[in-house]
């Protein structure tokens, strides 16, 4: 994920696919649209940076098992 100086996700790339292109795309779009992190810092100054994040998708039935 590429984080702007304000910590908001500005773009992203899928390094390793889940095996389902639509799931990969949906997760990436959601991150860009909705997520915000503490910004990367160089000394005491916020800076834009790439941040690698790993996900594990788990599908369960409607009872949450």
């Amino acid at each position: 994920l590429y984080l702007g100086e304000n910590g908001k996700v500005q773009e992203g790339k899928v390094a390793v696919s889940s095996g389902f292109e639509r799931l990969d795309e949906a997760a990436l779009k959601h991150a860009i649209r909705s997520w915000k992190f503490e910004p990367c810092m160089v000394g005491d100054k916020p800076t834009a940076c790439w941040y690698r994040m790993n996900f594990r998708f788990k599908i369960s039935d409607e009872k949450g098992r």
Side-chain angles (χ1 to χ4, degrees):
L1 302 173
Y2 189 74
L3 309 179
E5 291 178 7
N6 62 358
K8 184 154 176 36
V9 178
Q10 294 183 346
E11 74 174 272
K13 297 178 183 179
V14 175
V16 178
S17 175
S18 67
F20 298 93
E21 186 177 346
R22 288 177 59 194
L23 180 58
D24 296 343
E25 290 174 5
L28 189 54
K29 283 181 184 178
H30 180 70
I32 292 169
R33 181 177 58 241
S34 304
W35 294 0
K36 187 171 182 182
F37 296 84
E38 291 291 324
C40 299
M41 303 293 286
V42 173
D44 60 350
K45 183 180 178 190
T47 187
C49 68
W50 281 98
Y51 177 76
R52 185 177 183 117
M53 180 172 258
N54 296 315
F55 292 90
R56 179 173 296 177
F57 294 101
K58 181 179 177 183
I59 299 173
S60 59
D61 64 19
E62 63 278 358
K63 295 178 185 175
R65 292 191 237 171

